[in-house]
Amino acid sequence: HIAPDIVLARSADIVTPHLFPGTVRFMMEGPVPPFTTQPSLVTFARTLFNDGHIPEIPEPLLTRLDAVADRLWAQLQSEIDLPTRDEFFARTGLPEDRPIVGLALEYEHEEMFFRQHHSFADNATMIAEIARDLPKDMVLAVSNHPLNELYGDNRAVEGIVSAFEDRAVLLSSETYPGATTFALARHAEGMIVGNSKSWCYSAALG
């Protein structure tokens, strides 16, 4: 009989770790783009994908956090080197006269067990349903995950984007290596986010 006081789980399964008694925490990736952090940083979360959750924080601690955040924000603003809207639209082929809605794809591979928490059956289905529901004058700009391009089969995603003709555009992560989704978040009229860390770009840019 195993009865640990603390369970640290790196798991896409939420139920099994909670079969143990005591405190359960899930080890999640710590980096929060676009802020620079150590790649090995992890967080100990109460559950999966509680992104943006703000717990009750005592006023003195909140004041300290605001002071730290102000310095980090100032540093970020000095380091941001993104293309202008005109440059970004010219390079990606996005139309300048229509509203752009960004969509960052999640990593889709057999080794990616967190896929079970995807809101849709797969990325292609997500694109199809979102593009279908968008007003006809809007364009869905789909930002692919770099690991999908390296290891995945992108034919379904490419096919569904092509099927929507001028209402959807697939952006390569190599357009602006390491910054394509960041630039999209900066210049799009809105972003749709799921479990991707790319929600942080939208939060940072307001």
Side-chain angles (χ1 to χ4, degrees):
H1 179 68
I2 302 175
D5 295 310
I6 299 175
V7 175
L8 301 179
R10 177 57 175 168
S11 171
D13 176 4
I14 300 175
V15 176
T16 303
H18 282 287
L19 296 177
F20 292 102
T23 299
V24 176
R25 293 291 183 269
F26 292 90
M27 294 184 292
M28 303 297 290
E29 297 176 33
V32 182
F35 296 98
T36 302
T37 58
Q38 292 292 331
S40 59
L41 181 67
V42 298
T43 60
F44 299 101
R46 294 178 180 272
T47 186
L48 305 181
F49 305 118
N50 59 341
D51 300 325
H53 171 69
I54 302 177
E56 291 293 330
I57 302 175
E59 191 63 34
L61 179 56
L62 186 60
T63 300
R64 290 176 59 190
L65 290 174
D66 284 341
V68 172
D70 286 344
R71 293 196 298 271
L72 292 174
W73 183 251
Q75 179 182 347
L76 174 65
Q77 292 298 314
S78 68
E79 294 175 350
I80 289 178
D81 183 22
L82 294 175
T84 65
R85 182 180 174 89
D86 289 344
E87 292 170 342
F88 183 71
F89 277 50
R91 190 163 178 179
T92 58
L94 291 171
E96 297 186 34
D97 59 344
R98 297 169 63 187
I100 305 298
V101 176
L103 173 65
L105 297 187
E106 299 174 27
Y107 183 31
E108 194 168 63
H109 193 272
E110 61 183 3
E111 69 179 18
M112 180 55 171
F113 299 116
F114 287 105
R115 284 181 59 191
Q116 64 186 279
H117 301 294
H118 201 303
S119 299
F120 297 87
D122 50 47
N123 281 335
T125 301
M126 176 172 65
I127 294 168
E129 294 197 22
I130 292 174
R132 182 196 62 207
D133 291 340
L134 283 181
K136 296 295 190 293
D137 65 321
M138 292 185 177
V139 175
L140 184 66
V142 181
S143 174
N144 206 355
H145 194 292
L147 293 182
N148 287 336
E149 296 175 344
L150 281 174
Y151 306 118
D153 184 347
N154 295 284
R155 288 175 295 181
V157 165
E158 293 166 352
I160 199 65
V161 168
S162 177
F164 278 92
E165 300 180 339
D166 67 337
R167 295 184 55 212
V169 176
L170 180 61
L171 310 183
S172 169
S173 64
E174 291 300 311
T175 304
Y176 294 95
T180 301
T181 302
F182 193 10
L184 176 60
R186 161 64 66 87
H187 298 303
E189 274 67 38
M191 291 286 290
I192 298 174
V193 296
N195 293 331
S196 169
K197 292 193 298 295
S198 297
W199 73 269
C200 302
Y201 293 126
S202 305
L205 295 170

